[in-house]
C-alpha cells in the first residue's frame, strides 16, 4: 500500500497516473459515503417525526412537513452527489457542492505542498480558502 506522502508526490509529478486517480477517487468516495450516512441518520428521524405530526394533525395538507423533508433529502443528495450522477446545485448556492469543496481543498493542499509548507500552514490556508468562499488565499511570501 502506498504511503500518503508518496501519493502527494505522485500528484505533484503527474495528475494522469491511474494509481493516483484511483487513490483520490477512493478517498473522495469514502468522504461522500460518510456524508451520505450522516445525512441518512438525520433524515430517518426527521421523516418519521414529520409523518407522525402529519398523521396527528390530519387535514388537506397533512403531508406538508413530510414533503419538506423529502425536498431536503433530494437537495442534500444533489449536494453530496455520491456517484457523480446528480446535476449540480445552482451557482448561487453558498456551499456549491461537496465536489466543489473537495476540489478547492485539494487545490490548496497541493499548492501548499508544492511550496513546501508545513501541515499547520496548510490547515490555515485551507481554512482561509473556505472562509473566502473557495478562492485561493493570497500568498504574502511570494
Amino acid at each position: 500500500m502506498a504511503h500518503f506522502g508518496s501519493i502527494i508526490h505522485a500528484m505533484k509529478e503527474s495528475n494522469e497516473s491511474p494509481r493516483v486517480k484511483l487513490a483520490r477517487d477512493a478517498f473522495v468516495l469514502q468522504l461522500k459515503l460518510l456524508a451520505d450516512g450522516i445525512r441518512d441518520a438525520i433524515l430517518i428521524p426527521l421523516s418519521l417525526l414529520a409523518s407522525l405530526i402529519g398523521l396527528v394533525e390530519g387535514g388537506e395538507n397533512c403531508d406538508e412537513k413530510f414533503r419538506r423533508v423529502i425536498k431536503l433529502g433530494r437537495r442534500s443528495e444533489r449536494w453530496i452527489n455520491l456517484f457523480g450522477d446528480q446535476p449540480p446545485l445552482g451557482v448561487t448556492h453558498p456551499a456549491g457542492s461537496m465536489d466543489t469543496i473537495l476540489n478547492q481543498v485539494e487545490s490548496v493542499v497541493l499548492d501548499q505542498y508544492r511550496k513546501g509548507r508545513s501541515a499547520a500552514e496548510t490547515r490555515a490556508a485551507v481554512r482561509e480558502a473556505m472562509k473566502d468562499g473557495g478562492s485561493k488565499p493570497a500568498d504574502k511570501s511570494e
Side-chain angles (χ1 to χ4, degrees), residues 65-82:
K65 289 175 181 56
F66 180 76
R67 298 289 162 218
R68 287 174 50 194
V69 173
I70 296 296
K71 185 177 178 181
L72 173 66
R74 286 185 179 135
R75 193 164 177 78
S76 62
E77 185 174 29
R78 283 179 58 200
W79 186 82
I80 295 169
N81 197 12
L82 186 60

Side-chain angles (χ1 to χ4, degrees), residues 33-83:
L33 285 167
L34 179 64
D36 191 57
I38 291 169
R39 176 191 75 120
D40 289 346
I42 292 168
L43 287 177
I44 289 169
L46 273 179
S47 65
L48 290 172
L49 184 61
S51 300
L52 184 61
I53 290 171
L55 290 170
V56 170
E57 287 179 348
E60 189 81 14
N61 296 322
C62 65
D63 66 342
E64 180 183 0
K65 289 175 181 56
F66 180 76
R67 298 289 162 218
R68 287 174 50 194
V69 173
I70 296 296
K71 185 177 178 181
L72 173 66
R74 286 185 179 135
R75 193 164 177 78
S76 62
E77 185 174 29
R78 283 179 58 200
W79 186 82
I80 295 169
N81 197 12
L82 186 60
F83 298 109

